[in-house]
Amino acid sequence: MEPQQSLESLARELAALPPSLGPVRLIGIDGHAGSGKSTFAARLAEALGHPVLHLDDVASHEELFGWEERLRAQVLEPLAAGRPAHWAPYDWVERRFGPERVLEPAPVLLIEGVGAGRRALRPHLARLLWMETPRAQSWMRGRNRDGRELSDFWDGWERAERAHFSNDPSRPFADTLVRQSGTGYEWSSGTGATGGTAASVTEGDDLPRA
């Protein structure tokens, strides 16, 4: 374990990677629902000074994992050409896609959500990070966060996520494994995240969000 570092060190490492999608360095942050991806992505985006695209805004009730073509057409293809992406985030309360948003081709873009490391996206990623929180623990956090009113949704989600990762696993292809501790984050990088170096960072009382 190396001495504690700030997320700025990881941000510098990611910003120094070669572009992977036109002028953009696309960084995937994957993991089980409830594993803390959104909180970690927000912290990392703050250190980078660049945006996050949440896959929760791309998915829908009808297409929990069937959003691949929509993401490609609305986001990946324009950014690959160096053009702004025009996309419409999904409203989970209204059950419809909302007003269009514009996403500029920033030097680094974090794409966060379950399935961010799927096989269709991996060729476009400069780095894939996996939140190393066990599935049962992640799902319990998610259920506790969302409350009883969403218990039926979570029943369906767990079946869908299990099927997704059974068919299209992300973790074996991760470059970096991220673990959350009581004081912040630790991560290890290397080939398939099985070797290389380890680093830790104290970030206060972060709570998993997604």
Coordinates of all heavy atoms in Angstrom, one line a residue, residues 1-14 27-29 40-41 43-44 47 127-133 171 174-181 183-190 192-204 206:
M1 N 0.8 -1.2 0.0 CA 0.0 0.0 0.0 C 0.9 1.2 0.0 O 1.8 1.4 0.8 CB -0.9 0.0 1.2 CG -1.9 1.1 1.2 SD -3.2 0.9 0.0 CE -4.0 -0.6 0.7
E2 N 0.6 2.1 -0.9 CA 1.4 3.4 -1.0 C 0.9 4.4 0.0 O -0.2 4.3 0.5 CB 1.3 3.9 -2.4 CG 2.0 3.0 -3.4 CD 2.1 3.7 -4.8 OE1 1.5 4.8 -4.9 OE2 2.8 3.2 -5.7
P3 N 1.7 5.4 0.3 CA 1.2 6.5 1.2 C -0.1 7.1 0.7 O -0.4 7.1 -0.5 CB 2.3 7.5 1.1 CG 3.5 6.8 0.7 CD 3.0 5.7 -0.2
Q4 N -0.9 7.6 1.6 CA -2.2 8.1 1.2 C -2.1 9.3 0.2 O -1.2 10.1 0.4 CB -3.0 8.6 2.5 CG -3.5 7.5 3.3 CD -4.6 7.9 4.2 OE1 -4.7 9.1 4.5 NE2 -5.4 6.9 4.7
Q5 N -2.9 9.3 -0.7 CA -2.9 10.4 -1.8 C -4.3 11.0 -1.9 O -5.3 10.4 -1.4 CB -2.5 9.8 -3.1 CG -1.2 9.0 -3.1 CD -0.9 8.4 -4.4 OE1 -1.3 8.9 -5.5 NE2 -0.3 7.2 -4.4
S6 N -4.4 12.1 -2.5 CA -5.7 12.7 -2.8 C -6.2 12.2 -4.1 O -5.5 11.6 -5.0 CB -5.6 14.2 -2.8 OG -4.8 14.6 -3.9
L7 N -7.5 12.4 -4.4 CA -8.1 12.0 -5.7 C -7.5 12.8 -6.8 O -7.6 12.4 -7.9 CB -9.6 12.2 -5.6 CG -10.4 11.0 -5.0 CD1 -11.9 11.4 -5.0 CD2 -10.2 9.7 -5.7
E8 N -6.8 13.9 -6.5 CA -6.2 14.7 -7.5 C -5.1 13.9 -8.2 O -4.9 14.0 -9.4 CB -5.6 16.0 -6.9 CG -6.5 17.1 -6.7 CD -7.5 16.9 -5.5 OE1 -7.2 15.9 -4.7 OE2 -8.5 17.6 -5.4
S9 N -4.4 13.0 -7.5 CA -3.4 12.1 -8.1 C -4.0 11.2 -9.1 O -3.5 11.0 -10.2 CB -2.6 11.3 -7.1 OG -3.5 10.4 -6.4
L10 N -5.2 10.6 -8.8 CA -5.9 9.8 -9.8 C -6.4 10.6 -10.9 O -6.3 10.2 -12.1 CB -7.0 9.0 -9.1 CG -7.8 8.1 -10.0 CD1 -7.0 7.0 -10.6 CD2 -9.0 7.4 -9.2
A11 N -6.9 11.8 -10.6 CA -7.4 12.7 -11.7 C -6.2 13.0 -12.7 O -6.4 13.0 -13.9 CB -7.9 13.9 -11.1
R12 N -5.0 13.3 -12.2 CA -3.9 13.6 -13.1 C -3.5 12.4 -13.9 O -3.2 12.5 -15.1 CB -2.7 14.1 -12.2 CG -2.9 15.4 -11.6 CD -1.5 15.9 -11.1 NE -1.0 15.1 -10.0 CZ -1.3 15.3 -8.7 NH1 -2.1 16.3 -8.4 NH2 -0.8 14.5 -7.8
E13 N -3.6 11.2 -13.3 CA -3.3 10.0 -14.1 C -4.3 9.8 -15.2 O -3.9 9.5 -16.3 CB -3.3 8.8 -13.1 CG -3.0 7.5 -13.7 CD -3.1 6.3 -12.7 OE1 -2.9 6.6 -11.5 OE2 -3.4 5.2 -13.2
L14 N -5.6 10.0 -14.9 CA -6.6 9.8 -16.0 C -6.5 10.9 -17.0 O -6.6 10.6 -18.2 CB -8.0 9.8 -15.3 CG -8.3 8.8 -14.3 CD1 -9.7 9.0 -13.7 CD2 -8.2 7.4 -14.9
I27 N -13.9 7.6 -19.3 CA -13.5 6.8 -18.2 C -14.8 6.2 -17.6 O -15.8 6.9 -17.2 CB -12.9 7.7 -17.0 CG1 -11.8 8.5 -17.6 CG2 -12.5 6.8 -15.9 CD1 -10.6 7.7 -18.1
G28 N -14.9 4.9 -17.6 CA -16.0 4.1 -17.1 C -15.9 3.8 -15.7 O -14.9 3.4 -15.2
I29 N -17.0 4.0 -14.9 CA -17.1 3.7 -13.5 C -18.3 2.7 -13.3 O -19.4 3.1 -13.4 CB -17.2 4.9 -12.6 CG1 -16.1 5.9 -12.8 CG2 -17.3 4.5 -11.1 CD1 -16.2 7.2 -12.0
F40 N -18.5 8.5 -5.7 CA -17.1 8.4 -6.1 C -16.9 9.2 -7.4 O -16.0 10.0 -7.6 CB -16.7 7.0 -6.3 CG -15.3 6.9 -6.8 CD1 -14.2 7.1 -6.0 CD2 -15.0 6.6 -8.2 CE1 -12.9 7.0 -6.4 CE2 -13.7 6.5 -8.6 CZ -12.6 6.7 -7.8
A41 N -17.9 9.1 -8.4 CA -17.8 9.8 -9.6 C -17.8 11.3 -9.4 O -17.1 12.1 -10.0 CB -18.8 9.4 -10.6
R43 N -16.9 13.0 -6.7 CA -15.7 13.4 -6.1 C -14.6 13.5 -7.2 O -13.8 14.4 -7.2 CB -15.2 12.4 -5.0 CG -16.2 12.4 -3.8 CD -15.9 13.5 -2.9 NE -16.7 13.4 -1.7 CZ -16.5 14.1 -0.6 NH1 -15.5 15.0 -0.5 NH2 -17.3 14.1 0.4
L44 N -14.5 12.4 -8.0 CA -13.5 12.4 -9.0 C -13.7 13.5 -10.1 O -12.7 14.1 -10.5 CB -13.4 11.0 -9.7 CG -12.3 10.7 -10.7 CD1 -11.0 11.0 -10.1 CD2 -12.4 9.3 -11.2
A47 N -12.4 16.7 -8.8 CA -10.9 16.8 -8.9 C -10.5 17.0 -10.3 O -9.5 17.7 -10.6 CB -10.3 15.5 -8.3
R127 N -10.1 4.1 -19.6 CA -9.9 3.4 -18.4 C -11.2 2.9 -17.8 O -12.2 3.6 -18.0 CB -9.2 4.3 -17.3 CG -8.9 3.7 -16.0 CD -7.7 2.7 -16.0 NE -6.5 3.4 -16.4 CZ -5.6 4.0 -15.6 NH1 -5.9 4.1 -14.3 NH2 -4.5 4.5 -16.0
L128 N -11.2 1.7 -17.3 CA -12.4 1.2 -16.6 C -12.2 1.0 -15.1 O -11.2 0.2 -14.8 CB -12.9 -0.2 -17.3 CG -14.0 -0.9 -16.6 CD1 -15.3 0.0 -16.5 CD2 -14.3 -2.2 -17.3
L129 N -13.0 1.6 -14.3 CA -12.9 1.5 -12.9 C -14.1 0.7 -12.4 O -15.2 0.9 -12.9 CB -12.9 2.9 -12.2 CG -11.6 3.7 -12.2 CD1 -11.3 4.1 -13.6 CD2 -11.8 5.0 -11.4
W130 N -13.8 -0.2 -11.4 CA -14.9 -1.0 -10.8 C -15.0 -0.8 -9.3 O -14.0 -0.9 -8.6 CB -14.6 -2.5 -11.1 CG -15.6 -3.4 -10.4 CD1 -15.4 -4.0 -9.2 CD2 -16.8 -3.9 -10.9 NE1 -16.5 -4.8 -8.9 CE2 -17.4 -4.8 -9.9 CE3 -17.6 -3.7 -12.1 CZ2 -18.6 -5.4 -10.1 CZ3 -18.8 -4.3 -12.3 CH2 -19.3 -5.1 -11.3
M131 N -16.2 -0.5 -8.9 CA -16.4 -0.3 -7.4 C -16.5 -1.6 -6.8 O -17.4 -2.4 -7.0 CB -17.7 0.5 -7.2 CG -17.7 1.9 -7.8 SD -16.4 3.0 -7.3 CE -16.8 3.2 -5.5
E132 N -15.5 -1.9 -5.9 CA -15.3 -3.3 -5.4 C -16.1 -3.4 -4.1 O -15.6 -3.6 -3.0 CB -13.8 -3.5 -5.1 CG -13.5 -4.9 -4.7 CD -13.5 -5.9 -5.8 OE1 -14.2 -5.7 -6.8 OE2 -12.8 -6.9 -5.7
T133 N -17.4 -3.3 -4.2 CA -18.4 -3.6 -3.1 C -19.2 -4.8 -3.4 O -19.8 -4.9 -4.5 CB -19.3 -2.4 -2.9 OG1 -18.6 -1.2 -2.8 CG2 -20.2 -2.6 -1.7
R171 N -16.3 -6.6 -14.4 CA -15.2 -6.6 -13.4 C -13.9 -7.3 -14.0 O -12.8 -6.8 -13.7 CB -15.6 -7.3 -12.1 CG -14.5 -7.2 -11.0 CD -14.9 -8.0 -9.8 NE -13.9 -7.8 -8.7 CZ -12.8 -8.5 -8.7 NH1 -12.5 -9.4 -9.6 NH2 -11.9 -8.3 -7.7
A174 N -11.7 -4.7 -15.7 CA -11.4 -3.5 -15.0 C -9.9 -3.2 -14.9 O -9.2 -4.2 -14.6 CB -12.1 -3.5 -13.6
D175 N -9.5 -2.0 -15.2 CA -8.1 -1.6 -15.0 C -7.8 -1.2 -13.6 O -6.7 -1.3 -13.1 CB -7.8 -0.4 -15.9 CG -8.2 -0.7 -17.4 OD1 -7.5 -1.5 -18.0 OD2 -9.1 0.0 -17.9
T176 N -8.9 -0.8 -12.9 CA -8.7 -0.3 -11.5 C -9.9 -0.7 -10.7 O -11.0 -0.6 -11.1 CB -8.6 1.3 -11.5 OG1 -7.5 1.7 -12.3 CG2 -8.4 1.8 -10.1
L177 N -9.6 -1.3 -9.5 CA -10.6 -1.6 -8.5 C -10.6 -0.5 -7.4 O -9.5 -0.2 -6.9 CB -10.3 -3.0 -7.9 CG -10.2 -4.2 -8.8 CD1 -9.9 -5.5 -8.0 CD2 -11.5 -4.3 -9.6
V178 N -11.8 0.0 -7.1 CA -11.9 1.0 -6.1 C -12.7 0.5 -4.9 O -13.8 -0.1 -5.1 CB -12.7 2.2 -6.7 CG1 -12.8 3.3 -5.6 CG2 -12.0 2.8 -7.9
R179 N -12.1 0.6 -3.7 CA -12.8 0.2 -2.5 C -13.0 1.4 -1.6 O -12.2 2.3 -1.5 CB -11.9 -0.8 -1.7 CG -11.6 -2.1 -2.5 CD -10.6 -3.0 -1.7 NE -10.4 -4.3 -2.4 CZ -9.5 -4.4 -3.4 NH1 -8.8 -3.4 -3.8 NH2 -9.4 -5.6 -4.0
Q180 N -14.2 1.4 -0.9 CA -14.5 2.4 0.0 C -14.3 2.0 1.4 O -14.7 0.9 1.8 CB -16.0 2.9 -0.2 CG -16.3 4.1 0.6 CD -17.7 4.6 0.2 OE1 -18.5 3.9 -0.2 NE2 -17.9 5.9 0.5
S181 N -13.6 2.8 2.2 CA -13.4 2.5 3.6 C -14.1 3.6 4.4 O -14.7 4.5 3.9 CB -11.9 2.5 3.9 OG -11.3 3.8 3.7
T183 N -12.7 5.9 5.9 CA -12.0 7.2 5.8 C -12.0 7.7 4.3 O -11.5 8.8 4.1 CB -10.6 7.1 6.3 OG1 -9.9 6.1 5.6 CG2 -10.6 6.8 7.8
G184 N -12.5 7.0 3.4 CA -12.4 7.4 2.0 C -12.4 6.3 1.0 O -13.1 5.4 1.1
Y185 N -11.4 6.3 0.1 CA -11.2 5.3 -0.9 C -9.8 4.8 -1.0 O -8.9 5.5 -0.7 CB -11.6 6.0 -2.3 CG -13.0 6.5 -2.4 CD1 -13.3 7.8 -2.3 CD2 -14.0 5.6 -2.7 CE1 -14.6 8.3 -2.3 CE2 -15.3 6.1 -2.7 CZ -15.6 7.4 -2.6 OH -16.9 7.8 -2.7
E186 N -9.8 3.6 -1.5 CA -8.5 2.9 -1.8 C -8.7 2.3 -3.2 O -9.8 1.9 -3.6 CB -8.1 1.8 -0.9 CG -7.9 2.3 0.6 CD -7.6 1.1 1.5 OE1 -7.8 -0.1 1.0 OE2 -7.3 1.3 2.7
W187 N -7.6 2.4 -4.0 CA -7.7 1.7 -5.3 C -6.4 1.0 -5.7 O -5.4 1.4 -5.2 CB -8.1 2.8 -6.4 CG -7.1 3.9 -6.6 CD1 -6.0 3.9 -7.4 CD2 -7.1 5.2 -6.0 NE1 -5.3 5.1 -7.3 CE2 -6.0 5.9 -6.5 CE3 -7.9 5.8 -5.1 CZ2 -5.7 7.2 -6.1 CZ3 -7.7 7.1 -4.7 CH2 -6.5 7.8 -5.2
S188 N -6.6 0.0 -6.5 CA -5.5 -0.7 -7.1 C -5.6 -0.8 -8.6 O -6.7 -1.0 -9.1 CB -5.4 -2.1 -6.5 OG -6.6 -2.8 -6.7
S189 N -4.5 -0.6 -9.2 CA -4.4 -0.6 -10.7 C -3.4 -1.6 -11.2 O -2.4 -1.9 -10.5 CB -4.1 0.8 -11.2 OG -5.1 1.7 -10.8
G190 N -3.6 -2.1 -12.4 CA -2.7 -3.0 -13.0 C -3.4 -3.7 -14.1 O -4.6 -3.5 -14.4
G192 N -5.8 -5.9 -15.6 CA -7.0 -6.5 -15.0 C -7.2 -6.2 -13.6 O -7.9 -6.9 -12.9
A193 N -6.5 -5.2 -13.1 CA -6.5 -4.7 -11.7 C -6.1 -5.9 -10.8 O -6.4 -5.9 -9.6 CB -7.9 -4.3 -11.3
T194 N -5.3 -6.8 -11.3 CA -4.8 -7.9 -10.4 C -3.4 -7.7 -9.9 O -2.9 -8.4 -9.1 CB -4.8 -9.2 -11.2 OG1 -4.0 -9.1 -12.4 CG2 -6.2 -9.5 -11.6
G195 N -2.7 -6.6 -10.5 CA -1.4 -6.3 -10.0 C -1.2 -4.9 -10.0 O -2.1 -4.1 -9.8
G196 N 0.0 -4.4 -10.1 CA 0.3 -3.0 -10.2 C 0.4 -2.4 -8.8 O 0.7 -3.1 -7.8
T197 N 0.0 -1.1 -8.6 CA 0.2 -0.4 -7.4 C -1.1 -0.2 -6.7 O -2.2 -0.3 -7.3 CB 0.8 1.0 -7.6 OG1 0.0 1.7 -8.5 CG2 2.2 0.8 -8.3
A198 N -1.1 0.1 -5.4 CA -2.3 0.4 -4.7 C -2.1 1.8 -4.1 O -1.0 2.2 -3.7 CB -2.5 -0.6 -3.6
A199 N -3.2 2.5 -4.0 CA -3.2 3.8 -3.4 C -4.4 4.0 -2.5 O -5.4 3.3 -2.7 CB -3.1 4.9 -4.5
S200 N -4.3 4.9 -1.6 CA -5.5 5.2 -0.7 C -5.7 6.6 -0.6 O -4.7 7.4 -0.8 CB -5.3 4.5 0.7 OG -4.2 5.1 1.3
V201 N -6.9 7.0 -0.3 CA -7.2 8.5 -0.2 C -8.3 8.7 0.9 O -9.2 7.9 1.0 CB -7.7 9.0 -1.5 CG1 -8.9 8.2 -2.1 CG2 -8.2 10.5 -1.4
T202 N -8.1 9.7 1.7 CA -9.0 10.0 2.7 C -9.9 11.1 2.2 O -9.4 12.2 1.8 CB -8.3 10.5 4.0 OG1 -7.5 9.4 4.5 CG2 -9.3 10.9 5.1
E203 N -11.2 10.9 2.1 CA -12.1 11.8 1.5 C -13.3 12.2 2.5 O -14.3 12.6 2.1 CB -12.7 11.3 0.2 CG -11.7 11.2 -0.9 CD -11.3 12.6 -1.4 OE1 -12.1 13.5 -1.3 OE2 -10.2 12.8 -1.8
G204 N -13.1 11.9 3.7 CA -14.2 12.3 4.7 C -15.3 11.2 4.7 O -15.0 10.0 4.5
D206 N -17.8 10.0 3.0 CA -18.6 9.7 1.8 C -19.6 8.6 2.0 O -19.3 7.6 2.7 CB -17.7 9.3 0.6 CG -16.7 10.5 0.2 OD1 -17.2 11.6 0.3 OD2 -15.6 10.2 -0.2

